[in-house]
Amino acid sequence: MFITFEGGEGAGKTTILHRLAQRLTDEGYQVIQTREPGGIPIAENIRNIILAKHNTMMDARTEALLYAAARRQHLIEKVQPALAEGKIVLCDRFIDSSLAYQGAARGLGVEEVFQINQFAIGEQMPDLTLFFDIKPEEGLKRINKNADREQNRLDLESLAFHEQVYEAYQQLLDKFPNRMKRIEANFDIIEVEEQAYRKIKEYL
């Protein structure tokens, strides 16, 4: 079972993913938690390049290709072997992030970025995707309150950029209704966790 967690900045998906991984493990499921870009050394190195605040000159297509490259290596080295062993993989971001951030907000085109990523992932789409829905201004407020969170290049983008990301996710929810499920993320963490847990358990 390949389950991905999506959402804008400050949606809380990373925190919820860790909590659910522990909860499902306690119930006896074999669970692997991972993230994109990253999850393995090669992809983590690419992540450092993509998100470094000083890389302001990075071209949008370069960014999209780097994400796809990291995704490919992560998929074949970590995700697919775990799925072959019958494990549940919980992944913080996957292809939908590229469609929203690079395809829509960077203006490269959702279909164009999908094609780049199809070359990277082949037929390996998630079985279930949870979209943590919070308005961009609320998510960014959460980030600014969190002094421990490391700021990256995407945090420097304008509110308008993050609003485009948000709108793109709304369109993806319409495009993939069987795979993508909305989680109302503008609640306290316990309520958001329960929503996500119920969606996963329904699917399992």
Side-chain angles (χ1 to χ4, degrees):
M1 184 70 61
F2 184 26
I3 302 173
T4 57
F5 288 53
E6 294 284 352
E9 309 305 307
K13 60 186 173 42
T14 306
T15 303
I16 300 294
L17 188 151
H18 293 318
R19 293 170 68 103
L20 290 178
Q22 186 59 56
R23 193 165 170 179
L24 291 167
T25 299
D26 291 344
E27 290 182 9
Y29 294 100
Q30 285 189 298
V31 180
I32 283 193
Q33 50 182 316
T34 189
R35 71 172 182 175
E36 283 206 351
I40 48 143
I42 291 172
E44 288 289 342
N45 287 336
I46 297 173
R47 178 189 182 93
N48 291 336
I49 295 168
I50 294 171
L51 296 180
K53 286 196 285 185
H54 60 265
N55 283 338
T56 54
M57 291 294 291
M58 188 178 293
D59 176 74
R61 292 190 185 198
T62 302
E63 183 181 79
L65 289 164
L66 285 171
Y67 274 115
R71 181 162 296 132
R72 173 65 185 174
Q73 189 64 31
H74 176 240
L75 188 68
I76 63 163
E77 192 175 331
K78 188 169 188 178
V79 176
Q80 288 182 336
L83 294 173
E85 292 170 2
K87 294 175 181 173
I88 296 173
V89 178
L90 303 183
C91 187
D92 189 345
R93 297 198 180 282
F94 193 61
I95 187 172
D96 299 296
S97 285
S98 286
L99 301 181
Y101 282 82
Q102 283 74 52
R106 293 273 189 240
L108 295 180
V110 170
E111 193 53 45
E112 287 78 0
V113 172
F114 188 76
Q115 286 173 10
I116 292 170
N117 279 274
Q118 215 161 20
F119 177 72
I121 67 173
E123 300 299 314
Q124 187 69 70
M125 288 293 282
D127 297 299
L128 175 67
T129 298
L130 302 182
F131 169 65
F132 291 79
D133 190 335
I134 190 170
K135 290 290 172 59
E137 56 269 27
E138 294 302 319
L140 294 172
K141 275 184 202 170
R142 283 184 180 179
I143 286 175
N144 293 331
K145 283 182 190 172
N146 186 358
D148 296 331
R149 185 182 183 278
E150 184 182 1
Q151 195 179 54
N152 63 52
R153 196 164 57 86
L154 289 174
D155 297 330
L156 305 177
E157 295 290 348
S158 66
L159 177 59
F161 174 88
H162 292 291
E163 285 173 341
Q164 285 181 297
V165 169
Y166 181 78
E167 287 307 314
Y169 273 124
Q170 304 304 314
Q171 291 168 17
L172 291 172
L173 283 161
D174 290 337
K175 186 173 182 177
F176 302 110
N178 294 328
R179 173 174 66 84
M180 291 189 77
K181 305 301 176 187
R182 187 192 309 272
I183 305 295
E184 298 294 345
N186 199 18
F187 292 103
D188 69 81
I189 193 166
I190 301 299
E191 168 59 27
V192 179
E193 180 188 336
E194 280 304 315
Q195 288 182 59
Y197 176 75
R198 285 196 299 270
K199 293 289 185 192
I200 290 174
K201 290 293 281 188
E202 282 169 18
Y203 200 90
L204 292 173

